[in-house]
């Protein structure tokens, strides 16, 4: 049964307050619009969204005090000819949904009007245009969503936009940032991905400030790559523009959850003074044309090693005819060896069958190094590629993109080369990185 049929069967509408029981858990919230037809999305009282798979075991009860879905206050948009144009692509997530307490409705802020009603200050920075890409929790995304975002980017650039903001759920924002960093080879405009840890109906929401800082940056910069814009610290003082392929979500709830890993932010934007401070010099600059290579190979996986791992988990990737695998090893990039080198032989078996294997580290900070210990040398001798100081998730996305667009031999070579700033020569580490 899909979402539409499920709502019809239970005589429910978007906005309805319901109690849902699924897999031993109970949720109370308002039904919010959702494009994934296998999932029921609820806005919980805490402000968080939850996606519940629709199956026979799910039970649902209508509660009193439902809210009507409203389109929100419609603001007439006055364009200011002197201002630049920013296009906002909506993909979903916390940044795109809220309970509007004024109208009592559950709304998704997808139109330029909704957004301007939420943060009117943005009209002083730019003329806002908006495009719907999807309404999805980012944990539900797959490689196909990168194609949708790329289509949106192309359309926005063709419409003559001066910059693009992509509103995105935070959970897999780092993966999308990496995917777009590789797929967009050159861009005439800055492309900034913006998330929020708290939705705009909460007093502590970071949505408005993150969007304003991204817009300020776009209108003033010569940056032409993929950046991520969220709070620099837990205070409302500044936002950072983080480098797409080096950015990772490092906290479940903090508003400054996103950090540059083994790298520094590209810039910071002071929220009060709007002053932009560049922390990097050699970032990608705007180029005359938009060049996109948009293919991703779906047969690429990630495997995290751990004490007690079963060799069958490794061999699975050969059995299922994968074309690439990123192993997230321990420490310097160690994998288990096993008795008689069985795990090493397993890696060799994968590589001999044509699978490209890359090695990263669970340490997150620092770089892998195959030449320190004997065990590492053994794995290195199988032909596994050590991915320097690349984030494991970025290495996964990179390998999928490489195998989608290049021959296996070329992909192998390019995996350990720096293409978009995903590998840095010196891995930077901020001592006071978390306050
Ligand atoms: N789980 C949500 C998502 O990633 C959280 C958020 O929107 O920030 O879509």
């Amino acid at each position: 049964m899909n979402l539409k049929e499920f709502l019809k069967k239970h005589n429910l509408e978007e906005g309805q307050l319901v109690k849902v029981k699924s897999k031993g858990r109970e949720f109370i919230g308002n039904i919010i619009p959702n494009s994934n037809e296998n999932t029921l999305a609820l806005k919980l009282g805490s402000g968080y969204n939850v996606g519940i798979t629709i199956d026979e075991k799910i039970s649902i009860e209508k509660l009193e005090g439902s809210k009507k879905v409203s389109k929100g206050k419609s603001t007439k948009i006055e364009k200011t000819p002197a201002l630049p144009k920013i296009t906002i692509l909506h993909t979903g997530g916390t940044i795109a949904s809220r309970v509007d307490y004024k109208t009592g409705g559950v709304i998704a802020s997808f139109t330029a009007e909704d957004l301007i009603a939420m943060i009117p200050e943005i009209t002083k920075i730019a003329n806002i245009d908006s495009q719907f890409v999807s309404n999805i929790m980012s944990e539900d995304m797959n490689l196909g969503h990168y194609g949708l975002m790329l289509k949106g980017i192309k359309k926005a650039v063709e419409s003559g936009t001066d910059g693009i903001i992509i509103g995105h759920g935070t959970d897999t924002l780092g993966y999308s940032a990496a995917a777009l960093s590789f797929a967009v080879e050159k861009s005439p405009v800055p492309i900034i991905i913006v998330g929020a840890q708290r939705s705009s109906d909460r007093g502590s929401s970071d949505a408005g400030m993150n969007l304003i800082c991204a817009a300020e940056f776009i209108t003033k910069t010569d940056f032409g790559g993929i950046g991520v814009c969220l709070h620099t610290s837990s205070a409302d003082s500044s936002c950072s523009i983080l480098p797409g392929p080096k950015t990772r979500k490092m906290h479940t709830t903090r508003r400054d959850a996103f950090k540059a890993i083994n790298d520094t932010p590209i810039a910071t934007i002071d929220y009060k003074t709007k002053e932009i401070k560049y922390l990097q010099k050699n970032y990608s600059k705007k180029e005359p044309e938009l060049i996109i290579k948009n293919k991703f190979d779906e047969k690429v996986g990630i495997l995290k090693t751990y004490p007690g791992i079963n060799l069958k988990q490794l061999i699975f990737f050969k059995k299922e005819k994968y074309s690439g695998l990123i192993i997230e090893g321990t420490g310097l990039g160690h994998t288990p060896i096993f008795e008689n080198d069985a795990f090493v032989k397993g890696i060799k078996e994968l590589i001999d069958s044509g699978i490209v294997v890359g090695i990263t580290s669970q340490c997150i900070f620092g770089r892998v190094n195959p030449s320190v210990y004997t065990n590492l040398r053994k794995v290195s001798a199988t032909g596994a590629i050590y991915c320097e100081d690349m984030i494991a998730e970025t290495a996964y996305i990179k390998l999928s993109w490489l195998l989608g667009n290049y021959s296996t031999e070329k992909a192998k070579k390019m995996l350990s080369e720096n293409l978009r700033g995903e590998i840095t020569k010196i891995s930077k580490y901020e001592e006071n990185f978390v306050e």
Side-chain angles (χ1 to χ4, degrees):
M1 198 184 311
N2 67 25
L3 176 61
K4 221 168 149 192
E5 291 159 353
F6 179 80
L7 293 180
K8 202 169 162 209
K9 181 180 160 200
H10 293 278
N11 196 18
L12 293 166
E13 284 183 350
E14 285 170 357
Q16 177 73 49
L17 185 70
V18 288
K19 185 198 276 182
V20 177
K21 286 187 189 160
S22 171
K23 297 186 181 128
R25 297 188 66 193
E26 188 177 288
F27 304 97
I28 295 179
N30 294 85
I31 300 170
I32 54 172
N34 188 12
S35 64
N36 181 341
E37 50 178 36
N38 303 316
T39 315
L40 174 73
L42 296 186
K43 178 70 140 181
L44 306 178
S46 62
Y48 285 108
N49 300 337
V50 68
I52 305 157
T53 307
I54 297 167
D55 57 26
E56 313 83 60
K57 286 180 208 130
I58 179 173
S59 85
I60 190 158
E61 186 188 326
K62 239 184 199 181
L63 298 179
E64 284 295 316
S66 298
K67 297 171 177 182
K68 276 233 150 32
V69 170
S70 102
K71 280 264 163 247
K73 187 170 68 179
S74 185
T75 311
K76 193 168 177 305
I77 305 175
E78 302 284 352
K79 301 242 167 177
T80 312
L83 289 181
K85 171 174 154 183
I86 292 181
T87 306
I88 304 199
L89 308 185
H90 298 276
T91 68
T94 297
I95 193 161
S97 65
R98 65 190 165 121
V99 175
D100 185 338
Y101 292 115
K102 277 190 214 123
T103 61
V106 179
I107 68 165
S109 315
F110 285 137
T111 64
E113 286 87 349
D114 283 337
L115 214 110
I116 288 165
M118 192 169 98
I119 32 169
E121 311 94 282
I122 206 161
T123 54
K124 295 202 177 84
I125 307 170
N127 293 313
I128 302 296
D129 208 11
S130 128
Q131 255 191 63
F132 176 88
V133 173
S134 63
N135 180 16
I136 194 169
M137 314 279 170
S138 72
E139 58 269 32
D140 249 346
M141 281 188 178
N142 55 47
L143 299 176
H145 288 95
Y146 306 144
L148 295 178
M149 288 182 224
L150 290 163
K151 251 193 203 162
I153 289 172
K154 190 163 176 277
K155 197 169 148 199
V157 169
E158 282 167 1
S159 80
T161 201
D162 296 295
I164 297 170
I165 289 177
I166 303 181
H168 201 295
T170 52
D171 284 15
T172 66
L173 192 153
Y175 289 81
S176 294
L180 300 183
S181 298
F182 293 112
V184 179
E185 212 163 79
K186 288 184 177 157
S187 171
V189 300
I191 300 166
I192 308 296
I193 310 180
V194 182
Q197 287 280 73
R198 322 253 166 93
S199 59
S200 54
D201 47 7
R202 302 176 80 195
S204 58
S205 176
D206 46 342
M209 180 172 144
N210 294 348
L211 286 164
I212 286 181
C213 286
E216 283 288 350
F217 180 72
I218 284 174
T219 59
K220 292 175 181 156
T221 189
D222 59 348
F223 175 71
I226 310 291
V228 171
C229 181
L230 279 101
H231 273 49
T232 308
S233 73
S234 56
D236 282 336
S237 49
S238 77
C239 281
S240 296
I241 301 293
L242 302 163
K246 286 297 235 190
T247 298
R248 195 175 191 279
K249 185 175 182 178
M250 300 300 284
H251 200 282
T252 54
T253 53
R254 284 177 68 104
R255 299 183 303 171
D256 59 344
F258 283 81
K259 299 291 173 198
I261 304 299
N262 293 319
D263 206 356
T264 56
I266 293 166
T268 55
I269 303 108
D270 186 303
Y271 185 49
K272 246 199 204 139
T273 63
K274 310 295 186 240
E275 191 199 339
I276 295 174
K277 214 159 106 196
Y278 284 90
L279 306 174
Q280 286 195 26
K281 279 193 199 120
N282 299 326
Y283 52 82
S284 316
K285 306 285 187 308
K286 291 178 192 172
E287 298 275 355
E289 288 182 88
L290 178 73
I291 299 178
I292 288 179
K293 283 203 177 75
N294 64 358
K295 296 203 188 80
F296 290 89
D297 185 333
E298 287 179 4
K299 285 291 208 180
V300 175
I302 309 188
L303 178 68
K304 183 173 185 145
T305 66
Y306 56 90
I309 192 170
N310 190 315
L311 186 58
K312 282 186 190 154
Q313 286 172 263
L314 176 68
I315 301 304
F316 163 89
F317 294 95
K318 186 187 163 201
K319 269 201 178 143
E320 294 297 318
K321 299 192 169 42
Y322 270 62
S323 33
L325 175 67
I326 295 298
I327 297 180
E328 216 182 311
T330 49
L332 289 164
H334 292 102
T335 71
I337 299 297
F338 281 7
E339 228 178 291
N340 301 322
D341 290 353
F343 204 90
V344 184
K345 284 177 189 154
I347 294 176
K348 176 100 173 45
E349 210 178 303
L350 257 64
I351 293 169
D352 289 347
S353 73
I355 303 174
V356 181
V357 177
I359 311 272
T360 59
S361 174
Q362 292 166 33
C363 288
I364 302 184
F365 289 98
R367 63 207 309 126
V368 290
N369 183 344
S371 47
V372 181
Y373 295 103
T374 315
N375 284 353
L376 280 160
R377 292 211 192 109
K378 280 185 184 170
V379 176
S380 164
T382 62
I385 298 154
Y386 283 75
C387 297
E388 303 285 343
D389 68 341
M390 237 190 289
I391 301 171
E393 295 87 344
T394 296
Y396 156 70
I397 290 288
K398 180 178 179 182
L399 186 54
S400 163
W401 177 78
L402 287 172
L403 289 167
N405 295 284
Y406 299 93
S407 69
T408 306
E409 275 321 299
K410 235 175 159 192
K412 268 188 192 169
K413 194 170 161 285
M414 290 167 85
L415 184 60
S416 57
E417 285 170 5
N418 176 37
L419 307 180
R420 307 276 194 271
E422 73 279 15
I423 294 171
T424 43
K425 270 205 183 116
I426 298 164
S427 305
K428 295 188 188 113
Y429 182 74
E430 187 93 39
E431 288 281 347
N432 297 320
F433 158 87
V434 176
E435 286 166 59

